[in-house]
Amino acid sequence: MSLPPSTHYDKLIARAQTLAPTPCAIAHPCDEPSLSAALEARDLGLLHPILVGPEHKIRDTAAQYRLHLGDARIVDAPHSHAAAECAVALVRGGEAALLMKGSLHTDELMHEVVARATGLRSGRRISHVFIMEVPTYPEPLFITDAAINIFPDLETKADIIRNVIDLHHGLGLGEPRVAILSAVEQVTPNIPSTIEAAALCKMADRGQIVGGVLDGPLALDNAISPDAARIKGIRSLVAGVAQVLVVPDLEAGNMLAKNLTFLANAEAAGIVLGARVPIILTSRADSPRSRLASCAVAAIYANHLATQQARALA
């Protein structure tokens, strides 16, 4: 597969290709976007896919769209719910180090992920990150959380930030500049998200959130525009040059990510964090390139987590 000129996503894909392919359980890959993404990621050396779902549907989809299954392992499961349950079990059993959503609803997969007895819970709250490639922005732009937590409280937002900081480090991008967004950049009692932003920054000052540089509340303009920050007299290491945007709630994050995608020609790779393994969440509206970037991000981060675990046990 040929790739266009170098971009942020190219660099992530190229880096993932230097690693051994990561075993990945794909839950119900029974449509062309999800099955082709898994097989393209395999062909690029990003993943070692385990296809979990009704075998006849997987083979029919491959035949219909002329996709080459090759020696891809297929684990037969009668329907999407069983596929989600089986894919999670493969991860719990150590046969897969990644989980990927196929052609089933996100809620159906996440229900199995968060199941108390059989799921993939960790000590962290689960959250989603979009890694955006925006043509007009000089760095990858991380947006969180736009897919999992609808109205996160303060402690949930703290875990959302911890998760994205860990990801930024795990991708080799260093200490992130984290902007906590609201409608305004001043603490205003009538806008609760400004108070939470200030509290999160103080938590970082006191070592409750580590590994990133936080500032907030910031409005979107003065988080990403040096001119807007300068005009409003905001001086910080984050204002105007943010690498991570922490949104007040899911609705704001979802609209922000989709505005960038459909109005600014941005690409959006997506990953779920806070579970035992990274989870690749793709949408039917995603471009093939976004799906591959999601796979690359997850593979790099899974390798980072495995390395950390090995060091801890040494």
Side-chain angles (χ1 to χ4, degrees):
M1 178 179 177
S2 61
L3 299 174
S6 180
T7 64
H8 304 310
Y9 282 0
D10 287 344
K11 295 174 184 176
L12 289 168
I13 291 169
R15 183 174 172 197
Q17 287 177 306
T18 67
L19 307 172
T22 306
C24 178
I26 298 99
H28 205 257
C30 296
D31 64 359
E32 189 276 335
S34 60
L35 184 56
S36 65
L39 298 178
E40 286 176 19
R42 175 201 62 188
D43 293 343
L44 283 174
L46 308 179
L47 303 178
H48 177 69
I50 305 170
L51 310 175
V52 186
E55 183 168 358
H56 69 281
K57 285 189 177 180
I58 294 172
R59 292 194 181 279
D60 287 349
T61 301
Q64 180 181 355
Y65 294 99
R66 298 181 181 179
L67 302 175
H68 179 58
L69 289 173
D71 60 355
R73 179 183 172 191
I74 299 176
V75 177
D76 191 32
H79 44 67
S80 59
H81 178 77
E85 185 177 10
C86 183
V88 167
L90 289 170
V91 173
R92 284 180 63 90
E95 295 184 63
L98 287 174
L99 181 64
M100 182 174 176
K101 173 182 173 288
S103 56
L104 75 173
H105 291 295
T106 299
D107 288 349
E108 194 170 9
L109 179 62
M110 295 308 298
H111 178 269
E112 296 301 323
V113 169
V114 301
R116 292 196 177 275
T118 58
L120 302 174
R121 286 176 177 268
S122 72
R124 290 268 183 92
R125 288 166 175 82
I126 290 173
S127 62
H128 180 273
V129 178
F130 277 122
I131 300 94
M132 308 286 298
E133 185 170 78
V134 185
T136 55
Y137 207 69
E139 300 180 83
L141 192 60
F142 290 52
I143 297 175
T144 189
D145 177 348
I148 299 292
N149 296 285
I150 300 174
F151 295 112
D153 60 16
L154 180 65
E155 191 51 48
T156 301
K157 285 184 178 179
D159 268 357
I160 287 171
I161 294 169
R162 293 179 185 115
N163 286 343
V164 73
I165 287 174
D166 287 350
L167 175 65
H168 206 269
H169 282 279
L171 295 179
L173 300 176
E175 184 179 61
R177 299 183 294 271
V178 181
I180 306 167
L181 298 185
S182 186
V184 296
E185 62 276 359
Q186 296 178 335
V187 177
T188 305
N190 291 333
I191 306 178
S193 61
T194 65
I195 299 173
E196 291 186 340
L200 290 162
C201 290
K202 182 52 65 176
M203 290 173 73
D205 290 344
R206 298 290 162 84
Q208 293 173 267
I209 300 172
V210 298
V213 181
L214 276 60
D215 193 14
L218 290 172
L220 178 62
D221 58 346
N222 47 61
I224 61 174
S225 167
D227 288 340
R230 177 181 52 78
I231 290 168
K232 293 193 175 182
I234 303 171
R235 296 180 179 87
S236 81
L237 296 174
V238 177
V241 289
Q243 296 164 305
V244 174
L245 303 178
V246 180
V247 297
D249 55 46
L250 182 146
E251 290 177 316
N254 192 274
M255 287 186 278
L256 173 58
K258 288 180 179 175
N259 276 334
L260 289 172
T261 300
F262 292 99
L263 295 178
N265 296 318
E267 298 266 22
I271 184 173
V272 171
L273 306 170
R276 293 189 190 181
V277 300
I279 302 168
I280 304 164
L281 278 191
T282 57
S283 166
R284 286 173 294 178
D286 289 344
S287 70
R289 187 165 197 76
S290 292
R291 295 191 196 102
L292 287 176
S294 298
C295 294
V297 166
I300 295 168
Y301 193 50
N303 180 267
H304 168 76
L305 293 176
T307 302
Q308 277 193 323
Q309 185 177 22
R311 287 174 180 168
L313 295 173

